[in-house]
Amino acid sequence: DENYDPRTIQDKWQARWEELKPFAASEDPADERPRKYALDMFPYPSGDLHMGHAEAFAIGDVVARYWLQKGYNVLHPIGWDSFGLPAENAAIKRDSHPAEWTYTNIDTQAESFKRYAISFDWSRRLHTSDPEYYRWNQWLFLRFYERGLAYRKGGQVNWCPKDQTVLANEQVVNGQCERCGAVVEKRVLTQWYFKITEYADRLLADMAELEWPERVLLMQRNWIGRSEGADVTFQIEGRAEPITVYTTRPDTLYGATFFVVAADAALADEICAPEQRAEFEAYRDAVRRETEIERLATDKEKTGVFLGRYAVNPVNGERIPVWASDYVLAEYGHGAIMAVPAHDQRDLDFARRFGLPVRVVVHTGEADPGETGVATPGEGELVNSGPLDGLTKSAAIPRIVEVLEEKGLGKAAVNYRLRDWLISRQRFWGTPIPIIHCDACGEVPVPDDQLPVRLPDDLRGADLAPKGVSPLAAAENWVNVACPKCGGPAKRDTDTMDTFVDSSWYFLRYCSPGYEGGPFDAEKVRRWMPADQYTGGVEHAILHLLYARFFTKVLYDMGLVDFTEPFKRLVNQGQVILNGSAMSKTTGNLVDLGEQIAEYGVDAVRLTMLFSGPPEDDIDWADVSPSGSVKFLARVFRVAADVTSEPGADPATGDVALRKVTHRTIDEVTRLVEAHRYNVAIARMMELTSAARKAIDAGAGAGDPAVREAAETLAVMLSLVAPYTAEEMWERLGRTAPAVRAGWPAADPALLVQESVTCVVQVAGKVRDRLEVSPDIAESDLERLALDSEKVRAALGDRGVRKVVVRAPKIVNIVPA
Ligand code: ANZ
Ligand code: ZN
């Protein structure tokens, strides 16, 4: 059949690739090809693949296929991030085990990936919910524990009332649960943490070496939130120990007119004077009931209570009242602040609400904040500040720090917004924390040779319903164990790990799948890592990427890897939207990937995704034309099908004009693919297709070897975006499969040379002639040609020539005498 039939083609080549395995990364030591690691963010197995997956994986696939064609030994693996709440919720609803839903969906997605022709090395497939995988989460947890990087502490945590589990700070978005949208509450619980704060400075510093989108780096920087300032100690009247505050504006110390302690911090309770206690406790209880949203709302009226105490300003001995309020956070800095209402808006709002004094200490030239209600945080000259008077703000900051340090009243300090990573979850479908609690011995790590601690398999359906404690607590046979240390009765920790632990190192596991000696084979990892490109959604800009970077640094410190950053280059694809807004099942604003594939074929869907614009832009599926893609694919297929010359025919004997187009296309597409400009690269392939068609119909004819050269070039280039069509073209051209490993073509420099260029000749600034000249003409030759021109001579008349400026090969400028 000479007609383009995408469905038959895709079935045929999907089956052939299963046999040929052209996408398997080689571990053969004799394979000397340089290596590349193309990594895609692994999917969560919720249902089948959707349009968003189709775009993200098509983008990652172009890079992997390009490297393969360029002759690299390419690692392009796939796995599933298969622990997590949706599986558990589905199990509760269906009275089943989460594994059923999970593994059914994984199989569905795997089939779809194969059909969608993503060039994965299937032999490395992993699922994080397999005991063979989560065993190593537990192993890593124990190594973190030994290093003091995993620890348990009591304190306030974010609690999702719907999912009945705690959340990491990173999982609270605008005060709501990132997963289900419920308003997050605070609870006091003892939980496990990873000490990511110990790595804050390295997480910041190492960003310098990353080729990542600027906005992602910025989001990480802001999340880490490093600020520089000073710790200043204040005496509290009637209390032996002083209180330290953190300030970024030590220069405003003389303008501190009151002092505020976080209402929910232990400190407030401790220092509250007896006569204020009743009022304070009522206020504190109200604060505890507030949600994070309410608490941080900037337009909310400030609230607080006076604690009946006074602090003493260390530089001038001034007594200032101590208040408690919710706008000071217990978990930041020291949970207490010196308030400088003239120069800090929050403090000013508070001062105006409670009639506290406002004192300007930095003269910025703006109107008095006490009158306007607008604080003046900017640069200016110090006033009312004793020895600092007359200094600028930026000169005063180091000066006062010096003074404070001399007197032992303070010191320079750095603060981070970043908190330690809370990893405990009170849910079932996750990695059990490998710790045993013994009354006699305390926390006892599960010995390595007893890993994995497997999830019990007798819990299902309603057993998994959220209860506020982990469902594992109900599995008595599982919970009650002998203490590994003393042999006495003990209990397993019943929490499971945040699933972000699973995704923090899966890319390492891919390098040595099935390895039994540890989470990964260090030598294999050394060969493949760091990943050359990581492709995935910008929704992971903070959580996943920060955690994976943190894990990598810890593994580096443990001597297990020899690099400190896992992902050299990051590409964030845009979203696939419809009619201007995000796709959504609930509103029916949805395009189904399976239906699109059934209608247009895999290649046309992939091509449409890549042709619609640069990878980072959103694609509105209402504005693109998959049927146009089908037409193009049929046209390019037809070119290959029409070729009548034999494979190996010498293109040098063919039509030079077409050959030039072919080689220019090779040159440009190579550069465009490397610059991720796939849409433009596809446009160039379309142009070459038209040129080849023209040559067949009007010029050299189907037997010209230059036509074969063009068709073969197109087949190889198309293998990046429309691999099934490319493979079929290749076969029609009499070549041996697989086209996907045929080798990337090289442009012949001789065919890139342009024959002539147009040189503009000006006389006294006016264009008088145009000359067709060789692009590498010598300046002296060009000058002679220009002066010989009839038109130039006519323009000069009887004037002589004062000066000739030659910019070969494009411009000659003649200045008459
Ligand atoms: C006095 C001052 C004067 C301040 C001024 C600012 C401007 P970043 O940049 O986010 O680190 N602060 C300190 N601890 C706090 C807490 N636990 N809860 C709420 N606010 C807290 O911000 C540091 C500034 O935030 C500190 O500097 C402190 O207010 C406040 F003209 O001290 B500042
Ligand atoms: Zn014990």
Side-chain angles (χ1 to χ4, degrees):
D1 185 2
E2 294 301 288
N3 290 322
Y4 176 62
D5 176 5
R7 271 153 289 263
T8 315
I9 292 175
Q10 72 201 27
D11 289 348
K12 168 176 164 187
W13 290 105
Q14 191 186 328
R16 283 301 303 280
W17 288 336
E18 293 270 346
E19 270 165 49
L20 294 171
K21 301 205 178 347
F23 310 118
S26 164
E27 294 289 354
D28 180 356
D31 190 330
E32 283 180 347
R33 291 177 296 165
R35 281 163 243 272
K36 287 275 190 190
Y37 189 169
L39 180 67
D40 299 311
M41 290 186 188
F42 66 165
Y44 183 77
S46 50
D48 199 351
L49 298 185
H50 53 65
M51 296 296 276
H53 292 122
E55 190 203 6
F57 286 95
I59 289 167
D61 202 37
V62 174
V63 179
R65 287 171 174 277
Y66 174 69
W67 285 335
L68 197 62
Q69 292 284 27
K70 284 288 268 188
Y72 289 98
N73 184 5
V74 178
L75 174 57
H76 188 200
I78 182 66
W80 276 269
D81 190 11
S82 51
F83 268 143
L85 270 183
E88 201 164 326
N89 291 337
I92 296 165
K93 223 159 122 193
R94 302 162 179 212
D95 192 24
S96 62
H97 191 278
E100 292 171 26
W101 180 91
T102 303
Y103 289 94
T104 306
N105 286 346
I106 288 177
D107 286 342
T108 305
Q109 293 195 350
E111 282 317 301
S112 296
F113 273 132
K114 286 181 183 167
R115 178 153 210 75
Y116 196 59
I118 304 299
S119 62
F120 291 134
D121 177 348
W122 284 97
S123 70
R124 293 164 190 265
R125 168 172 174 174
L126 63 81
H127 317 123
T128 58
S129 53
D130 291 351
E132 300 76 65
Y133 186 87
Y134 69 71
R135 165 185 187 181
W136 301 113
N137 281 343
Q138 294 171 339
W139 187 92
L140 287 164
F141 176 96
L142 293 172
R143 302 293 86 79
F144 278 43
Y145 183 76
E146 288 159 6
R147 302 177 78 81
L149 293 173
Y151 68 95
R152 222 155 73 108
K153 77 167 177 196
Q156 267 193 25
V157 297
N158 303 302
W159 178 262
C160 173
K162 184 146 174 266
D163 295 331
Q164 293 270 307
T165 185
V166 302
L167 302 170
N169 283 347
E170 287 84 346
Q171 287 162 326
V172 181
V173 179
N174 299 324
Q176 290 163 295
C177 171
E178 184 218 23
R179 270 254 151 76
C180 73
V183 172
V184 170
E185 297 167 0
K186 291 280 182 190
R187 282 209 176 175
V188 175
L189 287 174
T190 298
Q191 303 282 284
W192 286 100
Y193 291 82
F194 279 162
K195 214 184 240 173
I196 190 172
T197 52
E198 201 167 299
Y199 284 75
D201 266 329
R202 286 163 67 185
L203 287 166
L204 270 179
D206 292 351
M207 273 189 237
E209 60 188 76
L210 300 178
E211 292 171 50
W212 288 17
E214 206 42 58
R215 65 172 171 158
V216 174
L217 294 175
L218 187 68
M219 284 163 85
Q220 293 221 343
R221 214 170 278 128
N222 289 342
W223 186 262
I224 296 167
R226 181 181 199 274
S227 79
E228 281 180 20
D231 279 346
V232 185
T233 45
F234 282 69
Q235 294 295 333
I236 304 292
E237 281 180 3
R239 186 181 194 257
E241 284 154 67
I243 296 179
T244 303
V245 300
Y246 173 68
T247 174
T248 46
R249 292 294 303 278
D251 59 307
T252 62
L253 190 47
Y254 288 83
T257 54
F258 56 102
F259 194 96
V260 190
V261 179
D264 50 342
L267 184 64
D269 186 73
E270 194 188 312
I271 65 173
C272 181
E275 67 277 13
Q276 289 299 102
R277 177 147 296 277
E279 202 188 329
F280 162 69
E281 286 184 357
Y283 177 66
R284 180 199 56 200
D285 293 347
V287 168
R288 285 197 179 144
R289 283 191 300 270
E290 282 179 347
T291 66
E292 194 91 344
I293 308 184
E294 289 162 350
R295 195 161 172 169
L296 296 177
T298 46
D299 53 355
K300 169 181 171 267
E301 199 177 21
K302 293 274 177 295
T303 56
V305 288
F306 176 49
L307 291 178
R309 295 278 202 158
Y310 289 85
V312 183
N313 189 323
V315 284
N316 59 9
E318 196 176 347
R319 294 176 79 224
I320 55 176
V322 179
W323 287 67
S325 174
D326 62 353
Y327 83 97
V328 172
L329 306 173
E331 319 256 304
Y332 189 71
H334 303 283
I337 65 160
M338 65 177 207
V340 185
H343 307 296
D344 182 284
Q345 192 61 48
R346 298 160 297 180
D347 297 346
L348 183 57
D349 295 343
F350 194 87
R352 286 164 65 94
R353 168 82 171 76
F354 294 104
L356 297 160
V358 178
R359 184 189 309 146
V360 172
V361 290
V362 181
H363 211 263
T364 64
E366 288 150 291
D368 183 358
E371 266 148 44
T372 60
V374 181
T376 58
E379 182 59 84
E381 193 184 292
L382 277 274
V383 291
N384 299 323
S385 296
L388 301 178
D389 281 358
L391 294 176
T392 60
K393 161 186 162 183
S394 29
I397 291 175
R399 179 71 200 117
I400 186 75
V401 171
E402 231 171 69
V403 171
L404 291 169
E405 281 178 351
E406 266 165 29
K407 300 190 172 162
L409 296 170
K411 59 178 191 335
V414 168
N415 247 286
Y416 300 91
R417 205 177 93 86
L418 185 69
R419 301 280 82 127
D420 277 340
W421 173 12
L422 196 173
I423 61 151
S424 297
R425 295 292 177 276
Q426 291 68 49
R427 296 306 300 245
F428 171 78
W429 194 229
T431 305
I433 289 175
I435 293 285
I436 289 166
H437 300 282
C438 168
D439 282 345
C441 313
E443 279 169 13
V444 182
V446 173
D448 280 3
D449 61 10
Q450 289 173 29
L451 299 181
V453 177
R454 284 170 185 268
L455 286 169
D457 38 33
D458 51 352
L459 295 184
R460 49 189 292 127
D463 302 337
L464 309 177
K467 298 173 182 68
V469 292
S470 171
L472 288 173
E476 287 189 17
N477 290 340
W478 182 88
V479 170
N480 293 307
V481 286
C483 167
K485 238 190 202 158
C486 70
K491 285 186 188 306
R492 289 194 188 283
D493 198 295
T494 56
D495 285 351
T496 53
M497 295 181 204
D498 182 3
T499 57
F500 278 102
V501 173
D502 315 357
S503 52
S504 292
W505 66 279
Y506 73 106
F507 42 90
L508 300 170
R509 185 77 184 159
Y510 282 145
C511 299
S512 52
Y515 184 63
E516 300 258 339
F520 50 84
D521 176 342
E523 199 179 318
K524 295 257 166 71
V525 162
R526 203 168 305 129
R527 265 192 247 145
W528 290 110
M529 286 290 295
D532 296 280
Q533 177 166 314
Y534 196 19
T535 309
V538 75
E539 67 273 16
H540 292 299
I542 300 174
L543 294 107
H544 161 57
L545 290 172
L546 196 65
Y547 295 152
R549 296 182 60 218
F550 162 59
F551 257 63
T552 303
K553 291 177 199 307
V554 176
L555 293 169
Y556 176 85
D557 291 350
M558 290 167 64
L560 291 178
V561 302
D562 61 355
F563 48 89
T564 54
E565 285 291 336
F567 319 123
K568 268 194 251 176
R569 189 165 76 173
L570 177 72
V571 172
N572 292 134
Q573 81 281 356
Q575 284 187 335
V576 187
I577 58 174
L578 186 65
N579 294 313
S581 52
M583 292 201 192
S584 137
K585 244 186 218 157
T586 43
T587 61
N589 193 46
L590 199 70
V591 175
D592 183 74
L593 176 63
E595 282 168 22
Q596 296 294 302
I597 289 178
E599 187 160 354
Y600 303 107
V602 166
D603 282 355
V605 170
R606 289 175 56 123
L607 187 97
T608 306
M609 290 281 178
L610 295 162
F611 188 48
S612 71
E616 60 280 6
D617 285 8
D618 289 348
I619 301 176
D620 193 326
W621 205 251
D623 296 342
V624 296
S625 168
S627 59
S629 301
V630 178
K631 275 188 202 133
F632 162 64
L633 290 173
R635 257 157 56 80
V636 67
F637 173 80
R638 188 80 236 164
V639 165
D642 282 356
V643 168
T644 56
S645 60
E646 287 304 309
D650 182 7
T653 62
D655 177 50
V656 177
L658 178 59
R659 295 203 70 207
K660 285 191 170 176
V661 181
T662 301
H663 285 261
R664 207 178 333 113
T665 305
I666 294 171
D667 184 55
E668 288 183 4
V669 169
T670 305
R671 271 182 282 145
L672 290 163
V673 168
E674 279 176 7
H676 302 281
R677 303 199 45 213
Y678 310 135
N679 55 327
V680 189
I682 292 168
R684 294 285 173 275
M685 297 179 208
M686 291 174 169
E687 286 161 20
L688 177 56
T689 305
S690 300
R693 170 49 57 201
K694 241 204 225 140
I696 295 171
D697 292 347
D704 188 310
V707 172
R708 164 171 286 278
E709 184 182 39
E712 289 188 355
T713 300
L714 282 165
V716 174
M717 287 178 169
L718 263 187
S719 76
L720 310 191
V721 292
Y724 289 127
T725 307
E727 202 70 70
E728 183 71 12
M729 287 168 68
W730 197 243
E731 190 181 67
R732 297 277 172 136
L733 286 162
R735 305 291 236 127
T736 315
V740 295
R741 289 185 67 162
W744 192 251
D748 178 350
L751 289 163
L752 295 177
V753 176
Q754 281 174 277
E755 220 82 295
S756 69
V757 293
T758 306
C759 174
V760 169
V761 186
Q762 297 179 325
V763 178
K766 268 208 183 117
V767 178
R768 294 298 185 181
D769 201 0
R770 289 191 163 78
L771 308 169
E772 286 302 309
V773 299
S774 154
D776 33 49
I777 187 166
E779 297 209 331
S780 53
D781 293 342
L782 190 55
E783 177 172 342
R784 195 170 324 114
L785 274 177
L787 291 171
D788 282 349
S789 148
E790 287 296 332
K791 290 175 185 161
V792 168
R793 286 188 186 185
L796 280 170
D798 50 9
R799 290 177 293 179
V801 172
R802 186 153 64 93
K803 210 165 97 186
V804 183
V805 184
V806 182
R807 297 227 189 296
K810 294 252 167 97
I811 299 172
V812 178
N813 222 324
I814 299 168
V815 185

